[in-house]
Amino acid sequence: MNKEEELIRKKSPVNIRNKKAAFEYFFIETYTAGIVLTGTEIKSIRMGKAGLVDTFCFIHNGEIWVKGMSVSPYFYGSYNNHEMKRDRKLLLNRKEIQKLQSATKQTGYTIIPLLVFIDEHGRAKMDIALCKGKKEFDKRQTLKEKEDRRDMDRAMKHY
């Protein structure tokens, strides 16, 4: 990801993160995918009413889908409001999907959503990553590094 893409994500009015993903997995490769949404879903996401807790991606018939993403019903929606948790299709190139499919056939690898944001054209995008699960000692090491970083920041702030 280059500086320009990072700037777009920071400027986005909506940043819905999967906070547990960095603790649970090592990120091998990241991709940015579009999301196929209905009208009330995009309105809910623009209001920040979505969550990525316990979500994952799977590949079915050459298409990549996200499962478990919750998008709250739009408050001003009528009887044709969307379902809260449904499978949503992601938009990636065929080569990228084939690459992910071959990688996930190996044991221990999965595809996890990291971030939902709105790009400069007003479209909802999702950052996904090919991940490998961490073992218990890796998680302890991550917590230790986080605590050390926090201690260094406190020390630098004090002086």
Side-chain angles (χ1 to χ4, degrees):
M1 189 177 343
N2 61 18
K3 298 263 186 195
E4 189 175 304
E5 290 175 345
E6 286 181 22
L7 188 64
I8 290 170
R9 284 163 181 73
K10 286 182 182 178
K11 281 187 173 181
S12 175
V14 176
N15 273 336
I16 300 163
R17 297 190 175 279
N18 188 352
K19 295 177 184 173
K20 286 182 78 174
F23 181 71
E24 298 282 335
Y25 301 98
F26 291 116
F27 303 143
I28 309 299
E29 216 171 339
T30 59
Y31 299 92
T32 301
I35 313 172
V36 178
L37 299 170
T38 64
T40 54
E41 286 175 331
I42 188 65
K43 290 178 182 182
S44 262
I45 288 176
R46 285 185 182 143
M47 291 176 65
K49 305 287 185 184
L52 294 176
V53 179
D54 295 332
T55 58
F56 65 96
C57 298
F58 65 96
I59 298 172
H60 180 69
N61 290 337
E63 298 175 335
I64 187 162
W65 297 80
V66 63
K67 187 173 191 82
M69 178 180 167
S70 70
V71 178
S72 297
Y74 184 56
F75 181 74
Y76 300 107
S78 60
Y79 61 90
N80 55 359
N81 222 342
H82 63 274
E83 292 180 39
M84 186 169 169
K85 285 195 175 195
R86 69 172 183 89
D87 296 348
R88 292 170 177 87
K89 185 177 174 181
L90 298 180
L91 305 172
L92 280 176
N93 294 333
R94 186 173 296 154
K95 287 181 182 179
E96 292 173 334
I97 293 173
Q98 289 172 349
K99 189 174 181 180
L100 285 170
Q101 189 170 20
S102 65
T104 54
K105 286 182 182 176
Q106 300 173 7
T107 56
Y109 288 91
T110 186
I111 306 167
I112 300 294
L114 303 177
L115 171 73
V116 174
F117 65 97
I118 305 292
D119 70 353
E120 67 272 3
H121 300 292
R123 296 179 293 228
K125 301 281 185 170
M126 179 181 282
D127 282 346
I128 60 173
L130 177 65
C131 301
K132 184 171 175 75
K134 287 184 179 179
K135 306 282 187 218
E136 191 67 34
F137 61 87
D138 292 328
K139 291 178 186 177
R140 279 190 235 121
Q141 182 66 30
T142 304
L143 285 175
K144 186 177 179 184
E145 289 171 2
K146 186 176 177 183
E147 194 171 306
D148 291 343
R149 224 180 355 249
R150 207 178 279 153
D151 290 340
M152 285 191 302
D153 288 343
R154 280 192 201 120
M156 294 298 287
K157 186 178 180 183
H158 183 54
Y159 291 106

